[in-house]
Structure formats: C-alpha cells, structure tokens
Amino acid sequence: MTRAAQRNGVPRGPGEEDGELHTQLQTLRLSAPPSQASANAASSSPDICPVCKSSRYLNPNMRFLVNPECYHKMCESCVDRIFSQGPAPCPVAGCGRTLRKQRFRKQTFGDIHIEREVDIRRRVAQVFNRRQDEFTTLLDYNNYLEEVETLTFNLLNRVDVPATEAALAAHASQNASSITRNASLQTQESASLEARQAFEREQARFRREAARREEDDERREVEEGKQDILNRLASGAGDPDAIAKEGQRVILKKSTARRTAAEKARQQQSQSSDPFGNPDNGASSFTIKGLKPTVVAEPEKLYDPFGGVHEMRDYYVLQDYYEHPWLDNARTDPQITAGGYDVHEYYARTMLEAFAGLGCFIGEEIAGRDLPADKSVATAAAAAAGGGGGDGVGPGGDVL
C-alpha cells in the first residue's frame, strides 16, 4: 500500500486514491494562467490597443485615435507606423476599409456609437441647414425636419445607404447657394452670440465691482454718521434722542441719494457701451425668429355647380305658391311626395316652357331663311374636310 493510501494511518482503496488525484488536478487547473478568451477580453479593454496590444498601464502617455471612416480605435504610434506612407487598409480584422492619416482624430465621447451619431448628424446638418423662417407654415417645417431625421436614421442604422447618400448629394447640388447662405448666417450668428456672451460677462463683472464699491461706500458712510452722532453726544449740546434721530435721518438720506446716483450712472454707462443695442432706446438688434410673415388668405368661396352662370328671368317672377286643384293634390299626396318630388320644380319648368318662345321672332327667322347661301364657303369647307384643301374650288363654288 502506498504512502498516499496510508495517510493519517487510515488505509484507502484504489477508488479513493483516484478521487484525491482528481482533486489535485482540479486545483492545478484553477491556478493555471488565463485562457485565450480572457486574453481576448483583455485585448478589447479601452486601455489596450487592438493592433499592437500596448497597454496604458505600461505607457501612461499613450493616446488613442479614431477614424470616422470605420471608427476603430488604435494608438497613435500604430497610426504613425501604418499610415505615414499613405492610405492603407484598416488593420482591425474584418474591416479592410481604406484609411488616411489626416482623418484620424482624438475620440470626444466615451461611447463610440455616440461619437458616430454626432458625426453623422453634423454631416447631415451641413447639407440640410434650412431655417424656420424659410417656411410659410409650421406643417412644411415639420415635414422638412421629418425628412432630415429619416435620412439620419438610415445612415445611423445602415438602411438603404446608397439611396440616402444619393439624396444628400442631390440636395447639396440643387441647393448649393442657399446652403452657403445659411452657413454664412449661422457663422455670423455664432460669432454674434459669442460676442454678446462675452459682453454680458464683462458687464456682470462691472456690476459686481460696482456693487462691492457701493457696499464699501455705504459702510463708510454709516461709520462716519455714527462717529458724528457720538461726537455730538459727547459735546453735550442738545437732546440726545433728537441728535440720534437726526443722525439716522441724515444717514438714510445720504444712502438713498448715493444709490439713486449710482443706478443712474450704471444705466448711462450700459446704454453708451452696449454695441448690441438697448431695448430702452429703440436701437435693439433683437429679432423674433419664426415662420415667414404670411398674408391672410381670402376665405374660400362657396361651391357653384353652374360656374357663375345664373338663370335670368326677364319675363316672369317665379312664385312659391300657385293655386290649382291638381297642385294641391300633388303637395299632399304621399304617393307623389314619397319619392322626393317637389312641386317647385314643376313651377320652374312649366313657367320656363311657357315663356321660352317670347324671345324668338319668327318674321326675322323667315327673312333670314330666304337669303341665298354662300355656296363657295360651304364647298371650300367640305373640300378642306375631305383633305383636298381649297385650291380646287372654282369661281362659282364648283369643285374643279
């Protein structure tokens, strides 16, 4: 029996010896180096370059750069080593996109997906930079924003990218002048906003200094007033209560006058030194942005099925009621009115038929009928309709 089987003086069988060996092997396995999976997880750490596997732990000054073409991160030394000679494919496995060194930059956001989304939105905003005051209605402006967001969504999620890129290029070529104008306006507004903010910060600093000086002056005046009251009380000339009240009144009067003068001086200085205009003096450059000023449209006219043609009655006036036994029966008989029949339509048709011939003069029509017809005109028209033209018509109107 072996020493392992006789440990602690207790004899063991062959099966128990195998179990102890299995336990020892399991212990050795737990103490072994990390596996390949853990090594891959370590290589994907944000502090390890995926190309050269350099760690920020060994090189604290290592900087990581990204390229907006594929957004794969690599250290600055790898960028210099691989892309200094010109464009080269991305060294990250499975990418293969051609990258250029001048496009590498430092990552702004911690999440690379946010970095990509910000870049895409900035690119789309450079092309679709129309302003709200270019639209007449809010619906048109909202539809424009929806179109922009749809294109951005397609680029972010790689949905129909060729068509989206074609739409961006088409819009950029068709609206080049307006894009340039709006970009210039945006630059001017940004510069004006920065100057305005700097001016407001400077004015705030001036106000703080003025308030501090005002507090110092007020404190000094109060101390001087108290000292004057004490001197007068020490001299013993007059009633002490009257002297104290008079001293307080003098201090309050000086404080009120000093504050009024300081406020007036501050307003004058602000008006004279404000390069952006002041609303009080009518020189303000403040404008309210929004939709275009629109002219109120005229109310839509009622629909006229006759297109403006109205019935003119020159010989009679249609009344609402005509007395006749048959008409009385038609107005009250359910068999007639059940189908929607209206006796007013009968009134209008009967009166129109009765007076329709009053504008016709038979004598004039007969006189015109007896006049000889121009045979040449009719024959020329018939020849033209038959395709022969009017060249074959003789002097008497006969066809040659």
Side-chain angles (χ1 to χ4, degrees), residues 170-338:
H171 186 274
S173 60
Q174 296 174 2
N175 304 273
S177 59
S178 63
I179 291 174
T180 304
R181 182 179 65 255
N182 291 335
S184 177
L185 291 176
Q186 181 66 26
T187 303
Q188 295 177 5
E189 290 181 354
S190 300
S192 177
L193 179 60
E194 292 179 359
R196 181 71 182 183
Q197 291 176 349
F199 173 77
E200 290 178 354
R201 288 193 296 267
E202 190 71 13
Q203 291 295 318
R205 186 177 64 84
F206 288 155
R207 287 193 296 269
R208 288 194 299 269
E209 294 179 356
R212 185 169 56 253
R213 289 194 302 268
E214 184 177 351
E215 290 178 358
D216 295 340
D217 295 342
E218 184 177 0
R219 189 180 303 108
R220 186 179 62 255
E221 290 179 358
V222 170
E223 294 296 334
E224 292 176 355
K226 289 181 179 180
Q227 188 63 36
D228 182 61
I229 293 174
L230 292 176
N231 293 335
R232 294 177 62 182
L233 290 176
S235 63
D239 185 14
D241 294 337
I243 292 175
K245 291 181 180 180
E246 183 180 358
Q248 293 292 338
R249 185 169 60 254
V250 171
I251 293 174
L252 181 59
K253 184 177 181 181
K254 288 183 178 180
S255 177
T256 303
R258 180 182 48 76
R259 291 180 181 178
T260 303
E263 183 67 23
K264 186 180 297 183
R266 186 162 53 249
Q267 291 180 358
Q268 292 178 357
Q269 180 182 3
S270 177
Q271 291 179 1
S272 60
S273 61
D274 190 357
F276 301 95
N278 194 305
D280 297 335
N281 54 20
S284 175
S285 60
F286 176 76
T287 56
I288 299 178
K289 298 180 180 179
L291 300 173
K292 286 183 177 180
T294 57
V295 180
V296 179
E298 296 182 359
E300 186 177 357
K301 297 180 180 179
L302 297 177
Y303 173 71
D304 186 3
F306 299 102
V309 178
H310 300 284
E311 180 183 3
M312 302 297 295
R313 305 185 183 95
D314 298 332
Y315 304 104
Y316 65 95
V317 176
L318 188 62
Q319 299 180 5
D320 295 334
Y321 181 83
Y322 291 94
E323 185 177 357
H324 192 275
W326 183 87
L327 294 177
D328 296 338
N329 184 31
R331 280 191 289 264
T332 58
D333 190 356
Q335 296 181 358
I336 299 177
T337 59

Side-chain angles (χ1 to χ4, degrees), residues 1-17 20:
M1 186 176 296
T2 62
R3 183 178 300 177
Q6 295 177 354
R7 185 175 301 169
N8 297 330
V10 179
R12 299 186 179 183
E16 295 179 357
E17 184 177 356
E20 183 178 356

Side-chain angles (χ1 to χ4, degrees), residues 9-31:
V10 179
R12 299 186 179 183
E16 295 179 357
E17 184 177 356
D18 294 340
E20 183 178 356
L21 181 61
H22 176 73
T23 303
Q24 294 177 358
L25 291 176
Q26 184 69 19
T27 306
L28 292 175
R29 187 179 295 108
L30 293 176
S31 61

